[in-house]
Amino acid sequence: MRTTIALVAPLLTALFAAPAQAQQPGSNALNVKIGVLSDMSGLYADIGGAGSVIAAQMAVEDFNPASHHMKVEIVSADHQNKPDIGSAIARRWFDTEHVNAIADVPNSGVALAVSNVTREKNGVFLISGAADSDLTDKQCSPNSVHWTYDTWALAHGTGGAIVRQGGKSWFFITADYAFGHALERDTGAVVKAAGGEVLGAVRAPLNTADFSSYLLQAQGSKAQVIGLANAGGDTINSVKQAAEFGIVKGGQRLAGLLVFLTDVHALGLQSAQGLTLTTAFYWDLNDKTRAFAKRFAARHDGKYPTMVHAGVYSSVLHYLEAVARTGSATDGAKVVEAMKSAHYDDHLFGDTGVRKDGRAVHAMYLVEVKKPSESKGPYDYFKVLAKIPADQAFRPLAEEKGTCALVQTASQNDSK
């Protein structure tokens, strides 16, 4: 899938105009190529997939490349949730297809592999779909920006809220790869810090169809809360099958630690009602998010955007602004530094800044899935319980000293 966008008539050109032209009139246009690497056909296709390509295209249009004397091309590929395939695509893109930046990449195992290739090739990695908080901790990179959410934010948002409501004993059903392990680790730390206990955990292979044995173990643990450290199709399957086992009716609580708008749509409000979850974006927050969602849905068969789609849009848009400021797309670390030096009044995420570890910091939202009687129609699914301020939503930078080399270096320079 390829899209080249040189000139459109965007509604938001003035809002998103970069402060400097990338090239002077009369010179050759600056060519930029962005690869959207996502799950196009598997269990994460609805949260990213084709919608992430659409979001990237919308960002390019709103940036208006022609006004910056630039040409921007979007390409895409399916990583099939396999790190070897994802890293091979990334290497080919950088080596032979002149890709400058890679966006999205749901699946933390794939993202960690792509991050290593991107750093080696001095490209840019705009992470929206992956969640592992190690991407800005011990695996941080000068070539990456982690835009949307991470396991620390999810653990402290959803996990923290449930613990405060009295859910002190937990059992985890965990996706058996980097993302699930990180989400279980970070949520378990929140539970223990609040005086709770983790009674056990069971690891389920990615894309599991039958969760019955795992749910029976969770049910048998007698834990107050069963934490679902999974996402996408795995979350949908585990919630549906938990209902068949009568787990909630039996007095245990399900905690969906990463639940997307599309998951609720697939489950239906009758099954999903009452779930508490944490999200970085919801289409019905304000006029700007509603306008974005309407444009997106018009291109995506009426489907509304997830927070991953919103993250792809915003990270690509601000990446292009940074390229325009630096005048080059070939030095990825330099472009990422330009992204870190700016502050954004982002119309999807609000007040946003990118820290030295590559973590984009913005508000998060604790929401509850509505009852069927409360919903006005398709995708009207969340009611906001609390806005988590940016300075509380993500792991404090001070906690990453000694693990993220970028933070160590910055601290040493500050002390000189």
Side-chain angles (χ1 to χ4, degrees):
M1 186 183 301
R2 294 173 180 266
T3 306
T4 302
I5 303 175
L7 177 63
V8 293
L11 297 175
L12 302 173
T13 299
L15 180 60
F16 295 118
Q21 296 291 325
Q23 300 283 311
Q24 296 299 317
S27 64
N28 292 329
L30 176 62
N31 292 309
V32 181
K33 185 182 285 190
I34 301 168
V36 178
L37 184 57
S38 195
D39 177 357
M40 298 295 180
S41 56
L43 76 167
Y44 299 147
D46 285 341
I47 68 177
S52 291
V53 179
I54 290 169
Q57 292 168 346
M58 291 172 63
V60 175
E61 293 174 5
D62 288 344
F63 173 72
N64 191 5
S67 70
H68 301 275
H69 205 54
M70 293 166 60
K71 292 183 179 179
V72 181
E73 182 180 3
I74 301 292
V75 297
S76 65
D78 186 352
H79 60 49
Q80 300 176 46
N81 290 298
K82 297 178 180 179
D84 57 338
I85 291 177
S87 59
I89 292 170
R91 193 172 296 278
R92 184 186 76 240
W93 273 354
F94 287 129
D95 284 346
T96 66
E97 298 187 22
H98 309 292
V99 166
N100 305 110
I102 294 176
D104 194 17
V105 193
N107 186 307
S108 294
V110 179
L112 289 164
V114 169
S115 178
N116 290 332
V117 175
T118 304
R119 184 170 187 168
E120 176 190 339
K121 300 300 180 181
N122 196 22
V124 173
F125 187 16
L126 306 169
I127 306 164
S128 182
D132 193 342
S133 59
D134 285 347
L135 286 160
T136 54
D137 192 11
K138 60 185 178 181
Q139 298 294 332
C140 68
S141 166
N143 297 79
S144 297
V145 176
H146 200 174
W147 196 269
T148 311
Y149 63 101
D150 62 28
T151 52
W152 193 98
L154 298 170
H156 284 74
T158 306
I162 292 174
V163 170
R164 289 191 296 272
Q165 293 167 4
K168 291 296 183 72
S169 63
W170 286 62
F171 186 96
F172 290 96
I173 297 177
T174 302
D176 194 11
Y177 76 108
F179 152 68
H181 299 170
L183 189 51
E184 177 191 321
R185 175 198 68 204
D186 290 347
T187 308
V190 171
V191 172
K192 293 173 184 177
E197 59 181 334
V198 176
L199 301 182
V202 62
R203 305 286 171 80
L206 186 67
N207 208 12
T208 293
D210 184 1
F211 278 87
S212 57
S213 65
Y214 310 116
L215 288 165
L216 285 172
Q217 291 181 63
Q219 193 174 38
S221 74
K222 306 299 182 183
Q224 293 172 301
V225 182
I226 299 173
L228 301 178
N230 52 22
D234 283 342
T235 299
I236 293 168
N237 286 337
S238 51
V239 171
K240 284 182 176 179
Q241 290 168 35
E244 295 171 4
F245 280 92
I247 285 177
V248 175
K249 290 181 179 178
Q252 291 174 296
R253 179 172 183 176
L254 286 181
L257 297 171
L258 180 53
V259 179
F260 294 91
L261 185 73
T262 46
D263 300 335
V264 175
H265 188 74
L267 285 165
L269 292 182
Q270 191 63 44
S271 297
Q273 61 181 311
L275 276 176
T276 300
L277 60 106
T278 305
T279 186
F281 166 86
Y282 179 47
W283 69 269
D284 202 20
L285 289 174
N286 54 55
D287 289 343
K288 292 178 180 179
T289 57
R290 285 187 284 270
F292 171 78
K294 184 177 180 179
R295 291 173 57 208
F296 179 93
R299 296 178 178 217
H300 197 36
D301 300 323
K303 299 175 184 177
Y304 276 46
T306 66
M307 62 173 164
V308 170
H309 299 141
V312 170
Y313 172 87
S314 290
S315 62
V316 167
L317 178 63
H318 298 309
Y319 161 75
L320 291 172
E321 293 172 346
V323 170
R325 288 195 299 274
T326 60
S328 172
T330 56
D331 187 342
K334 182 178 180 181
V335 175
V336 169
E337 277 300 315
M339 293 183 72
K340 293 177 181 178
S341 68
H343 204 85
Y344 308 104
D345 181 14
D346 187 89
H347 79 296
L348 301 187
F349 293 89
D351 186 52
T352 303
V354 181
R355 301 189 314 202
K356 61 189 73 174
D357 61 346
R359 174 71 259 167
V361 177
H362 47 72
M364 298 283 287
Y365 299 88
L366 186 68
V367 304
E368 182 180 292
V369 178
K370 292 181 175 181
K371 299 175 182 177
S373 60
E374 296 173 319
S375 175
K376 299 177 183 177
Y379 298 102
D380 178 27
Y381 297 153
F382 297 162
K383 52 185 176 183
V384 176
L385 301 178
K387 180 178 180 179
I388 306 170
D391 61 352
Q392 300 174 26
F394 295 95
R395 177 172 46 207
L397 198 58
E399 293 185 15
E400 295 182 0
K401 290 181 178 179
T403 51
C404 175
L406 301 176
V407 178
Q408 285 181 300
T409 301
S411 298
Q412 291 168 359
N413 291 338
D414 291 343
S415 65
K416 292 179 180 179

